Amino acid sequence: MRRFSSYGPLNTKSHYYAPRKELITKAFFQLIGENPEEGGHYITVWAPRQTGKSWLMQQILLKLQQEARFDVVVLSLESLKDEENVNDIINTIAEEIGDRLGKPFTGVHTQKQFQKLFKKGVLDKPLVLILDEFDALQKEAINAIVSAFRDIYNERLYEIDKPTEQKKYLLHSAALIGIRSVLGIENKKGSPFNVQRSLHIPNLTYDEVKGMFQWYEKESGQTIETEVIDRLFAETRGQPGLTCWFGEL
């Protein structure tokens, strides 16, 4: 029998969960692009903690891995939250990307060097890059990285006549995940990542909460009165972590 879990990403084989297929599909097609030949989008994914961001991206990753024309790299940057040296942050991220792709990306300390990693010839295939806990980085590092991404995105726009595999840069799409809508991107001259699309992860709907508890009822044989679900939803507003915590109780 399944169980409720309020800590860490859900396991769809052992936990109760809301499928959220529409949201997963929306994020997937933002990364792939309405027309994959032209490229995907560079997006931010944001929501408070314990709202299912990591689980959502895991489901998207499973779909992306079925697309053989793309390489997909997912990194968590939480370990860099206390690092203050921008050059070291950039170098660490570059090395981690290289490690996932089997490439020796070392000695990368500046925005320009970082940007060159995504050129055709350096990369073998169009890349979908997902950076979790991105807003854990200090502001200067965030600005340097997203400025590189914006330059790449704009460069690719000028090559509209070329398929994504033939463009100068092969960064097909990027997702920056955090708990703030602007991900700490601050710039007096405007956001250096103004090409982004923002994907907010909302709380569970009433029907999603009800569906999970009905699922539990069917498996456990325990009756959950409608008034209980109504009160739970009214108090938590569908916050996933709290909802599943009450489910655990």
Side-chain angles (χ1 to χ4, degrees), residues 27-28 31-32 41-45 53-65 71-77 93 96-97 100 118 127-134 149 171-178:
F28 173 77
L31 290 173
I32 292 297
H41 297 287
Y42 295 18
I43 67 174
T44 56
V45 181
K53 296 186 299 297
S54 296
W55 176 81
L56 182 83
M57 298 314 294
Q58 285 178 355
Q59 305 312 302
I60 296 167
L61 177 61
L62 292 175
K63 291 173 68 69
L64 288 170
Q65 288 174 336
D71 280 327
V72 183
V73 170
V74 182
L75 299 180
S76 175
L77 306 182
I93 294 174
E96 290 293 330
I97 293 173
R100 302 299 194 281
F118 303 98
L127 174 67
V128 177
L129 180 64
I130 300 173
L131 300 179
D132 200 1
E133 302 287 347
F134 187 75
F149 289 164
L171 183 60
H172 183 85
S173 60
L176 310 181
I177 307 172

Side-chain angles (χ1 to χ4, degrees), residues 77 80-81 89 93 133-139 141-142 145:
L77 306 182
L80 293 174
K81 64 183 178 181
I89 292 173
I93 294 174
E133 302 287 347
F134 187 75
D135 58 344
L137 302 180
Q138 57 115 327
K139 184 176 68 175
I142 288 175
I145 293 169

